[in-house]
Structures are given as C-alpha cells and as structure tokens.
Amino acid sequence: MIHYDAKAPIGMILRGRRGLTAAIAIGILISFTLRATAPLGVKITNPQLVSDAQRDAAAPRVRSASANLSVVIFTDYRCAACRRSDTDLLDAVREDGRIVIIFRHRPAFGIRSVVAARLAIAAQWQGKFLPVHAAFMKAPGNLDETELMQASTKAGAVWSRLQIDLRRHSAQIDRLLARNAGSMSRLGLRGTPSYLIGNCLVEEALTRQQLRKLFRDARASRS
C-alpha cells in the first residue's frame, strides 16, 4: 500500500497517483496480452480417449465431402454460453469446408435440457438434425414443449415423426446420452460448451476467429 505524506507538495502527490494509475494500466495491458497470446486448450495424449469421443456412431454428425479434421462439441440447449457460441461454431465449420462435426449432448440444466437433447438426436432419423439443432439454440424462452414443437416445425421437421422416432429409438438415445456423460468425465470436462478439435481439448466458449485458428493448428500439428 502506498502512503502519502499530508505535508508533501501537492504536485508530488499527483505525480505519485499518476504513477500508480499508469502502473495499473500497464498491468492490465500485460494481462490482456498474455491471455490473448496464451495457447488455447490442452493436448490429449491418450488416442483412445480421442477416438471414443469422435467415433460414436449414434452421435449426430455433419460432414463435408472433403473432411480431414474432426471437431467434437459437448453442448446443452439451455446452456447460455452454448447458445451464444453456437453460430460462431457453425459459421467457422461452414467457412472451413473440411470439417466433420460430432455433436455430443450433455443436458445438465434440468428436464427441459434432456427433452430438447432427445428431440434433437431423434431428428437425425428424418435428416433434420442440423436445422433442428440450430432452431433449438436460437429458440426464445425456456424450451417447453410448445416452444420445442414450434422450433422443430419451423426447422422443417415433422413433429409427429419426431414423436415416433423418439419412442422407436428411446433406448438408443438414452445410451448415447450416458456415453456422452462418460466421455466428458474421462476427458476431465466440467461443463459445456467444450470442444475436442483434433486432439486439442478446450473447455470454454470459442469465437469464430479462435475456432479457425484451432483448425489451422490442429492440421499443422499433424504435418
């Protein structure tokens, strides 16, 4: 703590305060610089953990014809950070054009999270997973049944078919959700959104620019 002498000239006191302010400003600048230049994520050295997260055949996925990089996203439709960052993820994947993205749902925000996740997964059997996923991420409100039905229909899914697929594939969907939770646990992840880009694990919401850099880094690390 800096103490000022009550008898000291006012100019000296002001210079001292200006010096303290400058020091604080420099400290903040250094902190931001370090955070901006620090590497994102950690490398997973156990290939089995990576393979388990990437290769679950029941998990919805979107793949480009020339895909040469896998991106796993652990997500929840009622997670605010997931909703905020989803457009950046989809835009970055679309712009790249060589990504397979695997969606591993980890609903942790109550029963409505679980219902939304099960519906989105069921949408893949009518080829509507991605539009339903995007609609759920953008839907207003708390994702009650009415909101989910409206979002699904707007995305082009047939609601009655969704109900049939939910019943028909109920056990398969539940087993997938259990495997998703197990995969997150084995990777040491605490929440959503979390990403596995190649073998790089990141546990925070990412911007489109950060994702594009991580795509480049993942490919460069294999060279």
Side-chain angles (χ1 to χ4, degrees):
M1 180 179 294
I2 296 176
H3 296 279
Y4 293 105
D5 184 349
K7 297 180 180 180
I10 188 67
M12 184 182 297
I13 293 174
L14 291 175
R15 284 196 298 273
R17 287 178 176 171
R18 283 197 296 270
L20 178 60
T21 300
I24 292 171
I26 291 170
I28 292 172
L29 178 61
I30 291 171
S31 174
F32 276 117
T33 301
L34 290 174
R35 283 161 59 183
T37 57
L40 279 170
V42 295
K43 299 294 183 183
I44 302 300
T45 57
N46 184 335
Q48 189 62 50
L49 289 179
V50 176
S51 178
D52 288 346
Q54 293 175 341
R55 297 184 181 179
D56 195 311
R61 63 189 59 219
V62 177
R63 182 188 185 96
S64 72
S66 57
N68 62 5
L69 180 65
S70 293
V71 174
V72 181
I73 174 69
F74 293 93
T75 192
D76 184 332
Y77 292 115
R78 295 191 70 218
C79 159
C82 297
R83 293 168 69 86
R84 192 168 56 247
S85 59
D86 184 69
T87 299
D88 278 341
L89 172 63
L90 296 182
D91 285 348
V93 168
R94 193 177 299 111
E95 289 168 3
D96 182 278
R98 296 179 297 156
I99 299 284
V100 53
I101 179 169
I102 301 105
F103 295 85
R104 306 299 299 263
H105 297 83
R106 181 63 177 102
F109 287 80
I111 187 62
R112 290 182 181 176
S113 284
V114 176
V115 171
R118 297 182 86 253
L119 274 169
I121 294 167
Q124 67 182 313
W125 281 287
Q126 57 178 297
K128 294 294 183 180
F129 169 76
L130 189 58
V132 168
H133 165 85
F136 284 4
M137 282 296 186
K138 294 175 182 174
N142 293 315
L143 296 181
D144 60 23
E145 184 176 2
T146 299
E147 291 160 351
L148 290 171
M149 181 172 63
Q150 290 173 345
S152 300
T153 303
K154 187 175 180 180
V158 177
W159 184 253
S160 59
R161 169 74 186 277
L162 271 179
Q163 303 308 303
I164 292 170
D165 286 331
L166 269 176
R167 292 192 295 272
R168 182 177 294 159
H169 302 285
S170 180
Q172 184 178 351
I173 292 170
D174 288 341
R175 287 194 296 269
L176 172 61
L177 291 176
R179 290 196 300 274
N180 292 351
S183 184
M184 281 192 70
S185 178
R186 288 188 295 276
L187 287 167
L189 296 172
R190 296 162 296 178
T192 56
S194 293
Y195 310 76
L196 181 62
I197 300 172
N199 69 340
C200 180
L201 192 65
V202 184
E203 192 175 10
E204 61 180 277
L206 295 172
T207 65
R208 183 171 57 178
Q209 290 73 24
Q210 289 172 320
L211 285 160
R212 292 171 67 178
K213 181 180 185 305
L214 285 165
F215 297 165
R216 292 194 299 270
D217 291 348
R219 290 187 176 106
S221 68
R222 299 185 311 208
S223 303

